Amino acid sequence: MTTTALPTAAALALGDDALVLSHRLGEWAGHAPVLEEEVALANIALDLLGQARVLLSTVGDEDELAYLREERAFRNLQLVEQPNGDFAHTIARQLYFSTYQHLLYARLAGGDGPFAGLAAKAVKEVAYHRDHAEQWTLRLGDGTELSHERMRRACDALWRFTGEMFRPVEGLDVDSEALERDWLESIGEVLRRATLSVPEGPRSGAWTAGAGREGLHTEPFGRMLAEMQHLHRSHPGASW
Amino acid sequence: MATAAAHQTAGTPAYGAQDGTAGPAGDTGTDAYQRAFDAAVAADERIEPRDWMPDAYRATLVRQIAQHAHSEIIGMQPEANWITRAPSLRRKAILMAKVQDEAGHGLYLYSAAETLGTSREELLDKLHSGRQKYSSIFNYPTLTWADVGAIGWLVDGAAITNQVPLCRCSYGPYARAMVRVCKEESFHQRQGYELLLALSRGTPEQHAMAQDAVNRWWWPSLMMFGPPDDESAHSAQSMAWKIKRHSNDELRRRFVDICVPQAESLGLTLPDPDLKWNEERGHHDFGPIDWTEFREVLKGNGPCNEQRISQRRQAHDEGAWVREAAAAHAAKHTGAGRSGGTGATRS
């Protein structure tokens, strides 16, 4: 593998993950449960947007890619496009995704492939994201009866979107099976400490869960893109 | 802290006091503390949290700092309204960072207020129940993307004009918070200007969008300096205490003088036919402000008063279970039931 041009499919997959999750987190602005979380969620959203811009720019024009592609051309995981739900859903989504992203970027940073440089920078940011999600999983899981129940429901609801993370992506030189083992171990450990059990449902199999990398998304994603893209598309060719 | 006696709380030695624990020489009782406080203010010294201060000074500061903190967090709403629709990724990053800064300003300001013996919880409760106010400017809606630029240029510009003198406010924690807030606000102001410049030089539709936003935000921005000096309820006492350094009208004039040449550079006009340079006064003359509108919006009859406060209450109510969980978790694991919610963050 060369160290020059990033493989397009992989850069789009990782870039779209970051772009879409950043957007979802941006929807929290002004709605967070406590002022510290306004700052924290925006921080994570900004880190992800920064990663997205670097990755998309290696493939083409960042704004054309973000604003002018149709839904079917996006390569992000279905997990990251899921609506925010309550705070527990947002935290479960963060826990699942940032654990994956942290394990993935740590591997990429340690290798000599085309993503090594970018991953070395991003892995430091993602370590904070993962820590943030873990701390909140512990607080909510092992907080009150209500928060335990909400966190349990959120972890269950999003579980079926987690298998997709370990499908091989063209151009990403990682051992997906080892990545999945590490992810399951890490998530299992956090959930246990949070007094939650590991969800039992399937993590993949149904066509609805696991095809984001091929451009098959869930219904809420189309509405998210409609909102995100409408202003840009309303003024074709304009600069902002 | 040259006048050590001023920094003396009864029974509590003030840090930095040069004469240790001794009270004002030869004086006893509140009068001595009052004289020492007056002397410290007259000497342009900072009053610190543990220093004695008149009750009315404390109450004025709590009211002002709380109102300022509330304005920061309510002010997130009109701009957050555009985060999900920002038309380029660069603009989206700038806007998210700005809204995040406002949450950060809210945090410093609530902390500054807490040094006066109140709590964030108590202040938020007063905001939610309408017993404390926030800046009326945020009761106007952001109707187009250009409004994000107009808020940065005009609203943040007016805020900076108001707040730079507060960096020399007599109360130490507030003055220090304002130093940091003003640095960040000046970034926001330049970013807003630059956003409008891009629109003004863009397509005819973009230019029109920018002009429309400036037309709508200009007058409300002038109202941000408060009522005319002869009608301002709190001004005289605040000036005497050196909480406030310049009168409302003086700051308003200064702001207009700054904006006129900037509008010209932007290629936009300001919606005031009476606006012109007055050689004799060395300031711009400007048309009459509609104080009826100001009072109506202040009373709750602005376009967004109800919406802003409902969203704030809703976020707070919907977040209650999260804050309760954090407190319960902290109580289980540290034995301390402090209300929590300190997520890992680097800001």
Side-chain angles (χ1 to χ4, degrees):
Chain A
M1 195 168 279
T2 67
T3 52
T4 50
L6 299 186
T8 302
L12 275 183
L14 302 184
D16 286 349
D17 281 351
L19 178 73
V20 171
L21 186 54
S22 166
H23 186 95
R24 285 298 191 202
L25 291 172
E27 292 173 353
W28 271 104
H31 298 274
V34 62
L35 201 43
E36 282 81 355
E37 283 307 296
E38 292 284 0
V39 178
L41 295 173
N43 223 335
I44 297 168
L46 279 166
D47 285 343
L48 290 168
L49 184 54
Q51 293 167 15
R53 295 180 67 193
V54 171
L55 285 158
L56 295 180
S57 296
T58 64
V59 178
D61 178 87
E62 61 176 28
D63 286 336
E64 276 180 30
L65 287 164
Y67 292 101
L68 299 177
R69 272 183 297 163
E70 298 291 328
E71 187 178 338
R72 295 278 279 108
F74 278 81
R75 291 290 177 265
N76 55 283
L77 299 165
Q78 290 184 351
L79 174 68
V80 296
E81 76 202 29
Q82 294 313 303
N84 288 336
D86 66 8
F87 191 68
H89 278 76
T90 289
I91 291 301
R93 193 181 60 197
Q94 283 305 114
L95 180 73
Y96 292 165
F97 181 73
S98 63
T99 301
Y100 156 75
Q101 209 190 16
H102 188 244
L103 291 167
L104 175 66
Y105 280 4
R107 280 167 164 77
L108 294 174
D112 59 359
F115 291 99
L118 178 136
K121 181 173 178 288
V123 74
K124 294 177 197 154
E125 297 170 347
V126 176
Y128 280 102
H129 306 175
R130 211 198 72 85
D131 184 54
H132 172 261
E134 178 180 325
Q135 294 307 316
W136 272 112
T137 302
L138 297 178
R139 288 191 192 105
L140 299 181
D142 190 17
T144 62
E145 241 173 79
L146 176 65
S147 70
H148 178 89
E149 179 53 21
R150 289 195 172 178
M151 195 63 208
R152 186 195 64 74
R153 249 186 289 162
C155 288
D156 283 358
L158 294 171
W159 190 245
R160 69 196 180 92
F161 296 106
T162 60
E164 185 184 9
M165 299 188 286
F166 309 104
R167 290 188 169 192
V169 174
E170 187 191 335
L172 266 194
D173 187 19
V174 288
D175 178 347
S176 296
E177 285 176 23
L179 191 67
E180 184 165 21
R181 274 198 305 277
D182 289 354
W183 185 87
L184 282 169
E185 189 183 325
S186 176
I187 293 293
E189 192 260 340
V190 173
L191 293 181
R192 265 191 304 280
R193 281 198 289 131
T195 71
L196 294 159
S197 43
V198 176
E200 286 170 1
R203 289 193 302 119
S204 58
W207 79 275
T208 46
R213 293 280 188 239
E214 283 147 35
L216 286 171
H217 295 281
T218 53
E219 286 183 351
F221 185 55
R223 291 192 295 278
M224 190 204 102
L225 283 187
E227 182 174 347
M228 182 174 111
Q229 297 181 335
H230 106 270
L231 178 58
H232 184 98
R233 286 177 180 247
S234 299
H235 298 262
S239 310
W240 300 94
Chain B
M1 289 217 172
T3 316
H7 303 283
Q8 190 72 37
T9 306
T12 313
Y15 39 82
Q18 290 170 358
D19 58 352
T21 58
D27 275 329
T28 51
T30 306
D31 287 355
Y33 289 118
Q34 178 73 55
R35 278 193 293 278
F37 170 86
D38 291 343
V41 170
D44 267 337
E45 289 170 28
R46 291 270 199 264
I47 306 302
E48 296 297 337
R50 294 171 69 200
D51 295 338
W52 184 91
M53 63 187 84
D55 291 344
Y57 176 83
R58 185 184 298 274
T60 296
L61 279 166
V62 169
R63 181 179 55 79
Q64 182 170 338
I65 299 173
Q67 177 164 333
H68 193 164
H70 299 331
S71 301
E72 295 285 354
I73 64 166
I74 294 284
M76 294 170 70
Q77 291 183 28
E79 294 179 282
N81 183 36
W82 283 94
I83 286 178
T84 53
R85 292 176 288 170
S88 75
L89 297 186
R90 174 172 167 266
R91 292 290 176 199
K92 189 172 184 169
I94 291 171
L95 183 56
M96 276 209 276
K98 182 185 177 189
V99 174
Q100 183 193 33
D101 282 347
E102 282 155 8
H105 296 172
L107 281 174
Y108 324 143
L109 288 163
Y110 285 118
S111 300
E114 286 183 334
T115 65
L116 292 159
T118 180
S119 68
R120 197 202 304 180
E121 206 171 21
E122 187 182 335
L123 298 177
L124 283 176
D125 187 51
K126 286 184 175 159
L127 169 66
H128 298 155
S129 59
R131 283 174 293 156
Q132 283 180 343
K133 294 197 182 304
Y134 54 89
S135 177
S136 242
I137 191 78
F138 300 118
N139 290 317
Y140 291 88
T142 48
L143 300 179
T144 72
W145 169 250
D147 289 40
V148 172
I151 288 185
W153 177 45
L154 294 173
V155 175
D156 294 335
I160 294 166
T161 307
N162 262 330
Q163 290 168 11
V164 165
L166 289 173
C167 298
R168 295 188 295 125
C169 159
S170 59
Y171 187 59
Y174 191 31
R176 288 188 289 273
M178 292 320 300
V179 171
R180 189 162 164 189
V181 168
C182 283
K183 277 184 198 163
E184 294 181 352
E185 292 292 355
S186 75
F187 266 116
H188 301 165
Q189 196 264 351
R190 275 177 280 172
Q191 286 164 342
Y193 178 89
E194 197 256 333
L195 189 162
L196 285 178
L197 189 63
L199 294 180
S200 179
R201 293 179 177 174
T203 64
E205 291 79 13
Q206 287 176 307
H207 181 89
M209 192 193 281
Q211 184 63 61
D212 169 59
V214 168
N215 291 349
R216 283 182 287 109
W217 287 93
W218 173 249
W219 290 107
S221 300
L222 294 190
M223 296 176 196
M224 283 176 70
F225 296 92
D229 293 347
D230 50 9
E231 293 169 30
S232 178
H234 305 291
S235 282
Q237 181 61 73
S238 285
M239 301 257 291
W241 277 330
K242 293 188 182 172
I243 294 172
K244 197 177 163 95
R245 298 272 180 171
H246 307 281
S247 80
N248 293 353
D249 287 330
E250 189 183 344
L251 290 169
R252 189 165 16 240
R253 271 197 303 276
R254 190 181 290 181
F255 176 68
V256 171
D257 288 340
I258 291 169
C259 287
V260 170
Q262 290 181 348
E264 276 171 31
S265 309
L266 281 170
L268 298 170
T269 59
L270 296 171
D272 179 357
D274 298 329
L275 191 63
K276 60 172 187 297
W277 179 251
N278 182 326
E279 191 65 49
E280 214 169 289
R281 288 173 54 241
H283 288 292
H284 289 86
D285 289 334
F286 52 92
I289 292 172
D290 181 357
W291 292 112
T292 310
E293 174 179 322
F294 176 76
R295 281 186 292 269
E296 281 300 309
V297 177
L298 206 62
K299 269 198 300 192
N301 300 326
C304 301
N305 299 58
E306 181 54 37
Q307 177 190 333
R308 299 288 183 242
I309 211 70
S310 315
Q311 181 181 325
R312 181 86 269 295
R313 277 198 211 115
Q314 189 185 351
H316 191 76
D317 293 347
E318 287 178 359
W321 70 274
V322 175
R323 297 189 300 275
E324 282 157 18
H329 182 266
K332 280 186 210 175
H333 294 273
T334 65
R338 293 183 301 111
S339 66
T342 49
T345 167
R346 286 155 288 157
S347 282

